[in-house]
Amino acid sequence: MRKPIIAGNWKMHKTIAEAVEFVNEIKGKVNNTDVEAVICAPFTLLKDLKEATKGTDIKIGAQNMHYEDNGAFTGEVSAPMLNELNIDYVVLGHSERRQYFNETNETVNKKVLKALKSGIDPILCIGETLEEREADKTKDVCKVQVEKALENVSKDDMKKVVIAYEPIWAIGTGKTATAEQANDVIAYVRDVVKGLYGEEISEEVRIQYGGSVKPANVSEIMNQTDIDGALVGGASLKPADFVELVNF
Ligand code: G2H
């Protein structure tokens, strides 16, 4: 059975003080042991978040990572640096990074491989634009993104990959894909994974939905057959909402 994973993606939000206050407010309230709760935060918050969540089951993730261990890459952070903080997850290939920071399927693939080699579980983001959806290309786009991002990922490592399907037109726009629309694409993505890794692995891999998930729609989304969790931006920033999301 796949353990659902609800991950907050804080994007470029919160100071250290705000992050620690957030954890203090949710501590003891996030009590759905059937769900894995994760906070993916800016680099500056990671150390304090690890510290603040000690003794809880809340996992901490970064939102990006370079594929080299070190070097002349101004502004970047590497896997060994995240390892030093015992970071559990890293969001890779988020559409905002693809759109604003030239992230490509090739760089995402290198990062996925490095994360897995480093013991950091990747949350691999995929999803189509509005134009692609309207041109009926959603599944083709997702297939290519999955295949390219997973090139050379072994069967064993694949079990650790979380895929997040985030239709770009539903991100931060208030427009959510209907639960059925999301489930349909996610079931297709599972089929793509099956084609690459076989049935057993495809049944183990967790696939989240992301895009304007909030307490009001989380249970409908989570009740779908193939959706194993949510990657939540805006609605994960308020402690009370985060608690409601995880305890859905
Ligand atoms: C999609 C999502 C989190 P939001 O980017 O990854 O953000 O929930 O604000 O649409």
Side-chain angles (χ1 to χ4, degrees), residues 9 11 94 96 166 170-172 211-213 231-234:
N9 174 14
K11 307 194 179 182
H94 191 280
E96 284 150 17
E166 302 203 322
I171 295 179
S212 299
V213 176
L231 185 57
V232 189

Side-chain angles (χ1 to χ4, degrees), residues 164-205:
Y165 167 59
E166 302 203 322
I168 295 170
W169 48 272
I171 295 179
T173 57
K175 284 187 198 165
T176 332
T178 64
E180 290 77 21
Q181 272 175 328
N183 195 57
D184 178 50
V185 179
I186 287 176
Y188 173 76
V189 170
R190 196 175 302 289
D191 230 47
V192 172
V193 174
K194 184 176 163 186
L196 295 170
Y197 294 93
E199 176 143 28
E200 201 188 316
I201 307 260
S202 76
E203 286 303 317
E204 259 185 69
V205 165

Side-chain angles (χ1 to χ4, degrees), residues 10 13-26 39 41 45-46 48-49 52:
W10 281 359
H13 290 284
K14 294 197 191 292
T15 61
I16 293 174
E18 288 165 349
V20 171
E21 193 189 327
F22 180 100
V23 172
N24 289 337
E25 283 198 39
I26 64 167
I39 298 171
L45 310 183
L46 297 177
D48 293 270
L49 280 173

